C-alpha cells in the first residue's frame, strides 16, 4: 500500500466544495504554485498547514489523514491481484489514485468484486450438506462496521440516553440497576440458572422472562442485561442505522442488528466520555481499564476501538478476534490496518503467537511490506466450557495502532521501536517478502523457482517476466 496521498484528498475535497486552487491558496496564505505542488503530492504538508486546510475546507482532520483512502486502496490491491479476473497488473500508484481521487468509484469496484466473489463461490458449490447456499452475511456485516470505522454516533446518543435513564450508576451497582430497570419499566423477571446446551441468554417476550446462564461471569451478565435493555429501548435507533446501510439479505440485516445492539450495550456499560478520559489517563492499559469499569478484557478492547467521535477522538485502534484455527470472528479498523478479506493472515503476526502464552499480553511492532508500522498487542481470552471434558473456547483478542501513536499506549514502554520491528504481510498470497520460512503459500504475482539442489524457505520465487 502506497503512502497516504493527502494532497489528492485535499484536491478532491476542494473541488467538491467548488473552491478554486488559487482561492484555497489565498485562504491558507501560501502561493498558488505551492498549493499545486501539495495537491500533486510533491510537497510534504506540515501539521500547522493541515489544521489550516481542515479549517478552510470545514472538514474534520480525520478526512485529511488518508485513512479511509488507505482502507479502500488495500481493498483495491486485493481486487487487482485476483488471478481469476484475468486483468493486466494494475500499478499501485493507480490504485492509490483511484482511492483518493474517486473514492466512490473505488467503493463501487470493491462492491462489485465482493458480489462477484460471492457468486463465484456459490456457483463453485460452496454450500452446506443440506444443499443450502452460503451467502456470507457475516462478511457483509463486518464490512459495514469496517466502513463506519466501528463508530456509530446515533447509537452513542442512544446509549447515553439509556445511561441517563439509569441514573449513571457505578460499575459496581450496574447489574442491579439494569435488572431493576427491566423489572420496573418492562415488567421483566430476570433469573440466573441452568440453561440448555450452550445457551447463555434466553429472552421470552410472551412470558416477560429473561434467563441468564449461571456460567456467565459477572461482567458478561452485565453485558447481557444491557443488551436486553438495548433491544427494548434502543431498537428504533438500531433499525435506522440498518436502513441507512441497506443490507442485501435478511441474514446480513440480522447479523448487523445483533452487532449494533452489542455496540449499544457496550456503550451503556462503558460510557464514552468517562471511558475516553480514563483510557488517556491510564495510557490504554486494558487490565487497569477493565478493573475500573468492571468489564472483561475483550469488552474493554472492543470499546477502545470505537472511540472516534468527532471532536473527541481516542487513539484509532484496530480490533481482531481469532480462534486457534485462524478463523477471524471479529475485525474492525479505525487505525487503517489493511485486513485481507480472503484467506488467513500472516503467521508471523502476533495474534497467532499469543496462543502460546495464555493470559499474558504480548507486544509486537509490525511492519507491513509498504513500510507502514503498527504497535500491536494481543492476549488470549477463555470462555467457560459447558461441561467437564469439553474444550473451553479460547480466542485471541488483538489490538493495534499506528506507530506514531505508540507513545500514548503503555505497551510501548521499554521498547526500542526501531529495532523491535517484525516484518509481516497481509497474507501469504499477497505478500512479496522473500526468504520467509513461515510462508504457507507462494505469492500470487510471482513465479516459483523450483531447484532440488537447494533448500531453505518453503517457496523461492522471482518477478514474473513479460508475457
Amino acid at each position: 500500500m502506497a503512502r497516504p496521498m493527502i494532497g489528492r484528498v485535499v484536491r478532491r475535497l476542494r473541488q467538491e466544495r467548488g473552491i478554486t486552487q488559487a482561492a484555497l491558496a489565498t485562504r491558507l496564505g501560501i502561493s498558488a504554485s505551492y498549493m499545486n505542488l501539495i495537491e500533486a503530492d510533491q510537497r510534504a504538508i506540515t501539521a500547522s498547514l493541515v489544521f489550516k486546510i481542515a479549517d478552510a475546507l470545514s472538514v474534520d482532520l480525520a478526512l485529511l489523514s488518508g485513512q479511509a483512502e488507505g482502507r479502500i486502496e488495500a481493498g483495491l490491491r486485493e481486487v487487482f491481484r485476483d488471478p481469476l479476473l484475468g486483468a493486466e497488473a494494475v500499478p499501485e500508484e493507480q490504485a492509490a489514485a483511484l482511492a483518493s481521487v474517486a473514492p466512490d468509484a473505488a467503493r463501487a469496484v470493491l462492491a462489485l468484486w465482493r458480489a462477484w466473489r460471492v457468486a463465484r463461490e456459490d456457483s463453485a458449490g460452496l454450500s452446506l450438506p443440506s444443499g443450502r447456499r452460503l451467502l456470507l452475511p457475516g462478511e457483509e456485516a463486518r464490512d459495514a462496521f469496517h466502513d463506519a470505522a466501528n463508530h456509530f454516533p446515533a447509537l452513542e446518543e442512544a446509549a447515553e440516553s439509556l445511561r441517563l435513564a439509569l441514573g449513571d450508576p457505578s460499575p459496581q451497582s450496574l447489574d442491579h440497576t439494569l435488572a431493576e430497570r427491566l423489572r420496573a419499566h418492562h415488567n421483566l423477571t430476570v433469573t440466573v440458572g441452568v440453561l440448555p446446551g450452550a445457551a447463555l441468554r434466553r429472552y421470552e417476550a410472551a412470558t416477560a422472562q429473561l434467563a441468564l446462564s449461571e456460567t456467565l461471569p459477572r461482567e458478561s451478565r452485565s453485558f447481557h442485561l444491557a443488551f436486553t435493555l438495548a433491544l427494548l429501548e434502543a431498537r428504533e435507533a438500531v433499525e435506522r442505522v440498518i436502513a441507512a446501510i441497506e443490507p442485501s439479505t435478511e441474514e446480513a440485516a440480522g447479523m448487523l442488528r445483533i452487532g449494533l445492539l452489542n455496540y449499544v450495550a457496550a456503550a451503556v456499560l462503558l460510557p464514552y466520555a468517562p471511558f475516553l478520559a480514563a483510557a488517556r489517563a491510564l495510557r490504554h492499559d486494558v487490565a487497569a481499564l477493565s478493573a475500573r469499569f468492571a468489564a472483561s478484557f475483550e469488552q474493554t478492547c472492543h470499546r477502545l476501538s470505537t472511540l472516534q467521535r468527532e471532536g473527541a477522538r481516542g487513539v484509532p485502534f484496530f480490533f481482531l478476534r481469532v480462534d486457534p484455527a485462524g478463523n477471524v470472528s471479529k475485525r474492525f479498523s479505525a487505525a487503517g490496518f489493511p485486513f485481507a478479506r480472503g484467506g488467513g493472515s500472516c503467521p508471523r503476526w502476533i495474534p497467532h503467537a499469543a496462543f502460546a502464552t495464555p493470559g499474558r499480553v504480548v507486544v509486537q511492532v509490525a511492519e507491513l511490506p509498504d513500510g507502514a508500522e503498527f504497535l500491536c498487542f494481543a492476549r488470549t481470552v477463555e470462555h467457560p466450557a459447558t461441561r467437564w471434558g469439553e474444550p473451553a473456547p479460547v480466542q485471541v483478542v488483538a489490538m493495534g495502532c499506528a506507530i506514531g501513536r505508540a507513545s500514548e499506549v503503555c505497551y510501548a514502554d521499554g521498547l526500542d521501536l526501531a529495532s523491535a520491528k517484525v516484518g509481516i504481510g497481509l497474507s501469504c498470497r499477497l505478500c512479496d517478502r522473500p526468504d520467509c520460512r513461515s510462508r504457507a503459500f507462494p505469492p500470487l504475482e510471482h513465479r516459483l523457482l523450483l531447484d532440488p539442489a537447494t533448500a531453505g524457505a518453503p517457496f523461492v520465487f522471482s518477478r514474473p517476466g513479460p508475457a
Side-chain angles (χ1 to χ4, degrees):
M1 185 173 63
R3 63 181 176 83
M5 295 188 174
I6 298 177
R8 293 182 178 180
V9 177
V10 171
R11 179 171 58 190
R12 174 174 58 81
L13 293 172
R14 173 181 62 76
Q15 291 173 341
E16 287 175 356
R17 285 154 179 76
I19 303 172
T20 66
Q21 192 177 78
L24 181 57
T26 300
R27 293 186 193 182
L28 300 175
I30 61 177
S31 67
S33 59
Y34 185 37
M35 188 72 242
N36 183 58
L37 290 172
I38 288 175
E39 292 193 354
D41 284 299
Q42 295 178 10
R43 286 291 184 276
I45 305 180
T46 64
S48 60
L49 186 55
V50 170
F51 280 102
K52 289 182 180 179
I53 292 173
D55 183 60
L57 296 177
S58 300
V59 298
D60 189 84
L61 280 173
L63 285 178
L64 299 177
S65 68
Q67 286 185 5
E69 288 76 12
R71 291 195 297 269
I72 296 171
E73 182 189 339
L76 289 176
R77 289 182 69 234
E78 189 171 2
V79 171
F80 296 146
R81 285 188 173 195
D82 192 324
L84 292 183
L85 290 179
E88 295 294 327
V90 177
E92 291 189 3
E93 312 83 68
Q94 292 186 19
L98 181 60
S100 58
V101 176
D104 291 338
R107 280 189 283 267
V109 170
L110 289 173
L112 284 171
W113 179 71
R114 292 170 198 159
W116 173 76
R117 189 157 63 92
V118 170
R120 182 181 76 196
E121 290 169 343
D122 189 56
S123 64
L126 182 63
S127 62
L128 299 174
S130 64
R132 175 177 171 267
R133 299 292 186 179
L134 294 176
L135 298 178
L136 306 180
E139 183 170 329
E140 183 175 346
R142 282 195 295 268
D143 284 343
F145 277 87
H146 187 79
D147 292 342
N150 199 27
H151 179 74
F152 297 90
L155 300 189
E156 294 287 352
E157 292 178 9
E160 288 178 352
S161 295
L162 284 178
R163 184 88 188 185
L164 188 63
L166 292 170
D168 196 21
S170 69
Q172 293 70 30
S173 64
L174 191 55
D175 272 10
H176 173 76
T177 306
L178 287 166
E180 181 59 23
R181 175 80 180 183
L182 291 170
R183 184 198 66 78
H185 289 261
H186 303 283
N187 197 30
L188 204 62
T189 301
V190 180
T191 60
V192 178
V194 178
L195 293 183
L200 298 175
R201 178 187 71 241
R202 178 163 291 178
Y203 166 57
E204 296 181 1
T207 58
Q209 297 284 327
L210 174 63
L212 302 179
S213 171
E214 63 185 10
T215 65
L216 287 170
R218 181 181 180 279
E219 62 269 15
S220 296
R221 291 183 188 178
S222 297
F223 179 84
H224 286 286
L225 289 168
F227 180 96
T228 306
L229 186 63
L231 179 66
L232 295 170
E233 298 192 27
R235 185 67 177 266
E236 289 185 7
V238 168
E239 293 302 324
R240 285 194 294 269
V241 173
I242 294 173
I245 293 172
E246 298 181 338
S248 63
T249 65
E250 283 299 320
E251 290 88 349
M255 296 200 74
L256 271 171
R257 184 171 294 109
I258 293 172
L260 294 172
L261 287 168
N262 284 338
Y263 186 103
V264 176
V268 169
L269 299 181
L270 306 167
Y272 195 101
F275 186 77
L276 175 60
R280 289 171 172 168
L282 297 172
R283 299 185 59 241
H284 305 88
D285 184 331
V286 177
L289 281 167
S290 298
R292 180 167 298 184
F293 287 90
S296 71
F297 186 89
E298 181 176 346
Q299 289 170 352
T300 303
C301 286
H302 189 280
R303 186 59 170 146
L304 283 173
S305 73
T306 68
L307 303 179
Q308 293 301 300
R309 174 180 286 172
E310 186 172 344
R313 296 185 187 276
V315 172
F317 284 105
F318 69 74
F319 175 96
L320 181 83
R321 190 178 70 188
V322 62
D323 69 15
N327 300 307
V328 174
S329 51
K330 284 186 180 180
R331 64 164 188 257
F332 310 115
S333 183
F337 190 90
F339 294 118
R341 295 184 181 277
S345 59
C346 179
R348 291 163 57 90
W349 194 25
I350 203 169
H352 308 294
F355 285 105
T357 55
R360 175 185 164 197
V361 175
V362 290
V363 184
Q364 180 186 64
V365 178
E367 181 184 35
L368 292 172
D370 67 346
E373 298 173 9
F374 293 84
L375 175 72
C376 307
F377 58 93
R379 202 202 80 176
T380 58
V381 293
E382 183 172 324
H383 304 280
T386 55
R387 59 179 177 80
W388 168 251
E390 179 179 289
V394 178
Q395 297 166 315
V396 159
V397 168
M399 298 276 287
C401 65
I403 202 68
R405 306 297 294 269
S407 61
E408 302 173 56
V409 183
C410 66
Y411 302 110
D413 292 352
L415 284 179
D416 183 337
L417 299 181
S419 62
K421 290 186 291 189
V422 175
I424 69 168
L426 295 183
S427 69
C428 289
R429 295 197 185 279
L430 297 177
C431 181
D432 296 334
R433 292 187 184 278
D435 303 324
C436 177
R437 299 187 67 182
S438 300
R439 182 181 287 280
F441 303 101
L444 292 172
E445 290 189 325
H446 299 263
R447 293 176 177 173
L448 288 176
L449 299 177
L450 304 174
D451 183 359
T454 61
F459 301 98
V460 181
F461 49 86
S462 67
R463 291 281 179 183

